[in-house]
Amino acid sequence: MSATRTSPLIFGIYPGGHTGFGSGRAVTADDPARIHEALDRLQVGVSPFLVRGYLPYTSPLSAAQTLAVKTPVAVEQYIQDGRKLDLVLQFRQPDLDGWQTFIRQAIHRYNSILATLQITEEANVTVTPEVDGYIPQVREALVRGIITAKEEVQ
C-alpha cells in the first residue's frame, strides 16, 4: 500500500471583532495596528497564512455600492507577507438570482488575494438568525452558489 500525499496544513484566523447580525452585543472597533501585530506573531516566517473575512449578501448590488468585506473592515490591508484571503460569502437575503451575481462579483473582486471561498455560513443551523441556515432558500443557495463559483473560476 502506498502512502497518500497530503498538503501541509495552512493555518489562519479571523482577526476582527463582532460578526453577528442583530445580536445586540456591544462592539468595539477593530484596531488595525494591533491586528497587524497579532498576525505577525501568529504567522511563522513566510509560511502561508489565511485571514478570514465575511461578506454578506443582503440585497442586489447597485452601481453605487462597493463589494467590500464587512468584517473585518478593509480585510485587504492584512493580506501581505504570504497571507491570503479565506472569504466567506454569507446568504442573508433570499434572492437566488442576485446571490449568483454577487458570487461572480466577489470572485472577480478578490481573485488576486483569494485562497479559499466558503459559500454560505452554517447553512445547516436553522435555529438562530445570526447564521445563514435561518434564511429561507439557503440550501438552494448553497447548491447554486457552489455551481456558480466553480463555473466562474474555470
Side-chain angles (χ1 to χ4, degrees):
M1 178 199 274
S2 64
T4 303
R5 261 186 102 147
T6 60
S7 299
L9 291 176
I10 299 175
F11 293 93
I13 192 169
Y14 168 72
H18 173 72
T19 61
F21 284 90
S23 70
R25 289 178 273 189
V27 179
T28 56
D30 293 340
D31 183 339
R34 290 187 69 201
I35 291 172
H36 277 289
E37 180 183 316
L39 290 172
D40 289 343
R41 289 180 63 205
L42 289 168
Q43 185 178 7
V44 178
V46 293
S47 63
F49 194 81
L50 300 180
V51 176
R52 176 162 273 207
Y54 293 86
L55 181 59
Y57 172 68
T58 55
S59 64
L61 295 174
S62 70
Q65 289 176 304
T66 60
L67 193 65
V69 168
K70 302 300 182 201
T71 55
V73 174
V75 71
E76 299 93 331
Q77 68 183 309
Y78 308 119
I79 308 302
Q80 58 191 29
D81 302 323
R83 296 181 201 135
K84 288 285 198 172
L85 180 61
D86 170 23
L87 183 60
V88 179
L89 300 180
Q90 297 171 288
F91 182 70
R92 305 303 303 165
Q93 176 69 36
D95 166 18
L96 295 170
D97 292 333
W99 167 244
Q100 290 174 272
T101 299
F102 170 79
I103 291 169
R104 289 183 198 97
Q105 291 172 336
I107 289 170
H108 285 282
R109 167 73 174 85
Y110 294 102
N111 185 48
S112 67
I113 62 172
L114 197 58
T116 64
L117 182 65
Q118 179 178 320
I119 304 294
T120 75
E121 174 70 5
E122 306 289 357
N124 60 326
V125 178
T126 61
V127 296
T128 179
E130 281 81 19
V131 296
D132 295 358
Y134 191 82
I135 306 299
Q137 299 179 306
V138 70
R139 290 176 189 233
E140 181 71 17
L142 175 60
V143 172
R144 284 195 194 187
I146 291 169
I147 293 168
T148 299
K150 185 169 182 175
E151 289 172 351
E152 197 60 33
V153 298
Q154 288 181 342

